[in-house]
Each structure stands twice: as structure tokens, then as C-alpha cells.
Amino acid sequence: MPNGARPADALNGWAQQIGTKVGIPVVAVQAYGYAELVLTRTQPACHLSWTTIAAIAFVESGHGSANGAVLGVDGSVSPPIYGLPLDGKGGRQLIADSDQGTLDGDTTYDRAVGPLQFIPATWNSYKVDADNNGVADPNDIDDASLTAATYLCQGGRDMSRAQSWWEAILSYNAVQPYAQKVFAAANDYGQRSRS
């Protein structure tokens, strides 16, 4: 891998085939597949599949297309994706600003950031620079996917076990209908990618 090259680019052929089958942008499929590959090497007992990361990204941001954002060929989303303020209204959690607005541009409340919608405290605890550009950026699908994978596999989880899978998804967002949407999307991607 040339220094500074995006490692996920090595998955281009596979990602082109899968992306066509499942209707996900190739650059996103590369990021999800790369996250699975890294976790297979670093935490093999986790058994995390790219379909789970893809499903979370679909539910959270339509694979980086929320609020009119566009996913670039380098994996970055533009403009950045910010969730609603976590101000305790409309069923949202109440989370006061934890990052002085550095990641989310909000100095009053935290907001979820990027295609996988990380709250700043979680991002800062788990962040990974997956594309080797020197910056761990929640608005980059490569970094966000590998960070999500690392987060989901924490604590020795085995994602091939149903109870661990549900536990991981609910730790990401503790709302049962959310977890159901992620399950349905992951299942759909798995079936369609094998057809």
C-alpha cells in the first residue's frame, strides 16, 4: 500500500459487484468491507460482517447522503452531516456539549456527526484513521466505518451470536425500533449480496 493511499481502494472489484447488487455506493461498500477485514485480523472472535456496518450507515444517514450530503470518491461526506441537537426534546437524549463544538459545531449540546452518527464523546474514545490520511474524521466513511466496527466489537463481543449482535446494536442506539431497522437492512444486504 503506497504511503497515504486509501487501503479500502484495494477492495474496488469486490465492492463494485456488491454495490451493484445491493444499491450502495461503491466507496461506502469499500469502507464497510475494509472495516470487516481489519476486525477479522484484529478481533477475529468478533465475527463482524460488513452488512451490519452497512445497515447502521443506511439507517443513520442513507450511506452518507443525509441532509443533502454527497459521498466523495475519497470517502468524505460533503457537507458534513450533523444530527439534531441532543437537547432532550422530541424523544432525543439530553447531552450537554462535550467537545466545545469541535466536532459538531455546537457549543451548547452535542450532536451526532457523520455517516455513522457518532456523538463526540464516543467518537473521541474510539476514533480510527482508517484511510491513512493522518486525521480521524467522523465525516469520512472509512474512518467512521472502522470506528463503528471497533465500537461494536468492544468487550469481546461475538457478533455471530444473536444476543451479542442485538446487545451491540442497542449499545449503538438504545431504541428497539432502530435495532429492528438495522436488523432488517443487514439481513436484506446479506441476502441480496449472495444472490
Side-chain angles (χ1 to χ4, degrees):
M1 205 49 51
N3 192 22
R6 180 177 177 254
D9 284 342
L11 300 175
N12 191 48
W14 170 81
Q16 295 253 356
Q17 290 180 332
I18 296 295
T20 301
K21 286 182 179 182
V22 299
I24 299 174
V26 172
V27 69
V29 176
Q30 288 174 312
Y32 310 148
Y34 182 69
E36 177 184 330
L37 278 177
V38 169
L39 268 289
T40 298
R41 290 186 188 125
T42 61
Q43 296 186 51
C46 182
H47 303 110
L48 178 68
S49 170
W50 70 269
T51 57
T52 295
I53 302 163
I56 292 171
F58 168 71
V59 173
E60 293 288 1
S61 73
H63 305 291
S65 66
N67 304 330
V70 176
L71 194 54
V73 294
D74 64 350
S76 62
V77 292
S78 183
I81 299 171
Y82 300 113
L84 295 170
L86 296 171
D87 56 10
K89 297 177 182 156
R92 293 184 298 276
Q93 286 182 289
L94 175 59
I95 303 177
D97 175 57
S98 67
D99 69 331
Q100 293 74 47
T102 306
L103 288 175
D104 59 13
D106 190 327
T107 56
T108 306
Y109 300 103
D110 271 351
R111 293 173 181 251
V113 182
L116 279 111
Q117 290 289 279
F118 280 96
I119 58 172
T122 304
W123 177 260
N124 286 326
S125 294
Y126 292 91
K127 66 184 174 184
V128 179
D129 173 18
D131 58 4
N132 293 338
N133 70 353
V135 179
D137 179 0
N139 275 295
D140 181 292
I141 199 134
D142 297 301
D143 298 352
S145 295
L146 187 50
T147 299
T150 303
Y151 176 83
L152 292 168
C153 288
Q154 69 181 313
R157 282 193 184 113
D158 178 354
M159 299 289 282
S160 67
R161 293 179 50 243
Q163 183 178 346
S164 287
W165 190 91
W166 286 102
E167 212 174 75
I169 302 307
L170 288 167
S171 78
Y172 204 92
N173 187 339
V175 178
Q176 193 63 42
Y178 168 87
Q180 285 295 146
K181 284 181 192 170
V182 171
F183 176 80
N187 191 46
D188 179 56
Y189 292 146
Q191 290 177 349
R192 287 168 47 206
S193 68
R194 288 189 294 273
S195 64

